[in-house]
Amino acid sequence: GGSGGGGGGGGGGEGPARSIMLDCAHNEDALRALLEHLGAESVTPTIGGSVGELPGGGLGRGLSGEFGGGGSRPALTLVFGTNRDKDVATLLRLIGHFATDRARAGPRVRAVHLVASAHPKSCAADALLEAARAQAPDVPWCVVSSVAAAVDLAAGQAVGSPAPSSVPPTLAELGDYTLVVGSTYVVAEARARIAQTHPAALRADDWVHEILREPDLGVLAVAI
C-alpha cells in the first residue's frame, strides 16, 4: 500500500509546487502493479493517507489531466532503495523498462535516485548503481548519499554537494513530483525526514511524530 507526503518549493516557499509520494512496493508484484498504474492513460497520482501541505503547495495539485494525450507530460523523479534479500535485478529491470518505455502514457522519468536505508540488510547504493546500469544502461541512474538527502532534493532544499555530479544540482532540473519507492525502511526514513523538515505536512497525531520523540525506538522500529 502507499502513503503520501507533501510537495514543497525551495527557499521561503517560492518556486513551483513539488509533490512527494511514498509507496512500499518492495517486491516484484507490488512494483509492477504500481508502475503499470502510473503508466496508465489519464491516471492522476493519488496521495494516500492524511497529509498536510508543505510551503509552496503540492499534494498532487495540477497533475490531473496532464497524463496521456494532449498537454505536456509531467516529469517524475524516482527514489529507490531495497534490501539485499530481494530480487534486486528484477526490481531494477522493472524500473528501467518503465523509465525507457516511450510507448506508454503517464509521466516521463527524469532521473532515478538510488539510496540505501540504515537497515543492516539494506543494499548499498553503489551496488544498486552497478546492478542498475547492467539491467538498463540508458536510464539516468544516480546515487544520492541518503534517503534524507533524496527527500531534501525532492522538496527543493539544498543538500550540500552530493556526489556523483549526475545528481540534479538545481530545483529546476528535478521532476514535477518525486516517488519514493521500495523497501519499507526507505519509505519510513523518507516519512521521518518529511516530519523533521516540514512537520505540518503530516497530521499532529501521525505515528512518525511519536517515533521521532522516542529516540530509543528509532525510525526503523516502525518498519519491522
Side-chain angles (χ1 to χ4, degrees):
S3 59
E14 299 180 355
R18 303 287 166 181
S19 293
I20 303 173
M21 298 184 293
L22 313 176
D23 196 294
C24 298
H26 61 278
N27 57 42
E28 179 181 355
D29 290 342
L31 183 60
R32 187 188 304 276
L34 172 64
L35 296 179
E36 286 178 354
H37 177 72
L38 283 176
E41 186 77 22
S42 301
V43 164
T44 300
T46 299
I47 307 299
S50 299
V51 293
E53 184 172 281
L54 275 68
L59 302 185
R61 293 187 304 175
L63 295 177
S64 178
E66 295 182 2
F67 288 73
S72 62
R73 297 167 65 192
L76 170 69
T77 299
L78 277 166
V79 176
F80 176 75
T82 189
N83 288 350
R84 296 189 304 275
D85 59 356
K86 300 299 181 183
D87 187 348
V88 176
T90 296
L91 297 178
L92 292 169
R93 186 163 59 250
L94 287 172
I95 292 173
H97 177 72
F98 178 79
T100 56
D101 183 5
R102 300 185 183 278
R104 65 168 175 78
R108 54 191 174 86
V109 175
R110 185 179 292 276
V112 183
H113 294 175
L114 301 171
V115 296
S117 75
H119 193 274
K121 291 184 179 180
S122 178
C123 186
D126 288 339
L128 281 177
L129 180 62
E130 181 178 355
R133 286 174 171 169
Q135 293 296 325
D138 295 331
V139 172
W141 310 99
C142 60
V143 169
V144 177
S145 59
S146 67
V147 176
V151 171
D152 288 348
L153 275 172
Q157 296 174 294
V159 292
S161 301
S165 58
S166 56
V167 174
T170 66
L171 179 63
E173 294 181 7
L174 291 172
D176 298 308
Y177 64 100
T178 296
L179 171 63
V180 182
V181 65
S183 162
T184 305
Y185 305 101
V186 167
V187 172
E189 288 186 27
R191 194 173 183 86
R193 184 59 176 174
I194 292 170
Q196 289 172 332
T197 57
H198 297 89
L202 302 170
R203 286 177 42 159
D205 60 353
D206 192 286
W207 58 262
V208 73
H209 295 302
E210 181 179 355
I211 291 298
L212 293 176
R213 291 192 297 266
E214 298 289 341
D216 292 339
L217 290 177
V219 173
L220 294 183
V222 303
I224 295 176

